């Protein structure tokens, strides 16, 4: 069984300020460490549930937030925001579950902590009349391949 894990940074345990999520800003390196703690916890849980391998897609900012030396050996990371994923590492029917790690409220939902939808310019994304944020969009994409959303943090 393979698990597809998409990670973002604004919802990571201990991340409470925008500055923590911006490369080069004070607190960013600490936030990367926190990100790795949450990712590795999800990987450990997936392995205990029977997963053999996890694919991590880093969707935050430029996609270079995963600290490769700290990633568990049962995982592979897709970093750098490739414009189109192909083959091993792209989401398709080979995955048994989708985990969303470090996600946050959608833009326009209110005054939630670090809320946005992909970027600050998107205030509303609607699918068939339903307002969705990144959680909804990622779940819909996985659902097109029959992959259930199994975990959100």
């Amino acid at each position: 069984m393979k698990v597809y894990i998409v990670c973002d940074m604004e919802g990571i345990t201990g991340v409470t300020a925008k500055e923590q999520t911006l490369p080069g800003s004070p607190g960013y390196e600490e936030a990367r460490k926190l990100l790795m703690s949450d990712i590795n916890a999800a990987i450990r849980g997936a392995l205990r549930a029977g997963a053999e391998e996890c694919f991590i897609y880093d969707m935050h900012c430029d996609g270079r937030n995963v600290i490769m030396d700290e990633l568990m050996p049962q995982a592979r990371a897709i970093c750098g925001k490739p414009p189109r994923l192909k083959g091993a590492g792209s989401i398709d029917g080979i995955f048994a579950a989708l985990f969303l790690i470090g996600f946050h409220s959608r833009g326009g939902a209110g005054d939630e902590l670090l809320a946005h939808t992909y970027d600050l310019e998107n205030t509303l994304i609607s699918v068939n009349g339903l307002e969705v944020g990144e959680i909804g969009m990622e779940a819909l994409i996985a659902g097109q391949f029959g992959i259930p959303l199994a975990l959100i943090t």
Side-chain angles (χ1 to χ4, degrees), residues 100-127:
L100 300 178
I101 305 300
F103 276 67
H104 47 78
S105 298
R106 66 176 172 79
D111 292 330
E112 289 80 4
L113 183 65
L114 303 173
H116 65 279
T117 302
Y118 295 114
D119 63 41
L120 297 176
E121 294 174 17
N122 290 329
T123 56
L124 176 66
I125 294 178
S126 176
V127 178

Side-chain angles (χ1 to χ4, degrees), residues 22-49:
L22 301 172
S25 294
Y28 172 70
E29 289 304 320
E30 177 190 15
R32 289 181 72 204
K33 293 270 191 188
L34 296 169
L35 172 73
M36 294 311 302
S37 179
D38 283 7
I39 288 172
N40 284 327
I43 293 168
R44 282 191 299 277
L47 294 172
R48 286 187 190 133

Side-chain angles (χ1 to χ4, degrees), residues 7-93:
C7 65
D8 203 357
M9 194 174 278
E10 288 86 1
I12 289 299
T13 304
V15 172
T16 61
K18 181 179 178 182
E19 293 73 28
Q20 289 176 281
T21 69
L22 301 172
S25 294
Y28 172 70
E29 289 304 320
E30 177 190 15
R32 289 181 72 204
K33 293 270 191 188
L34 296 169
L35 172 73
M36 294 311 302
S37 179
D38 283 7
I39 288 172
N40 284 327
I43 293 168
R44 282 191 299 277
L47 294 172
R48 286 187 190 133
E52 298 156 358
E53 190 172 28
C54 297
F55 287 75
I56 315 301
Y57 178 67
D58 180 358
M59 72 174 265
H60 179 73
C61 199
D62 62 1
R64 296 185 298 162
N65 306 285
V66 171
I67 302 170
M68 299 304 290
D69 292 346
E70 294 184 17
L71 188 62
M72 293 181 65
Q74 298 89 344
R76 291 199 266 170
I78 304 156
C79 302
K81 290 281 185 104
R84 182 174 169 191
L85 299 174
K86 293 182 182 180
S90 62
I91 193 164
D92 60 26

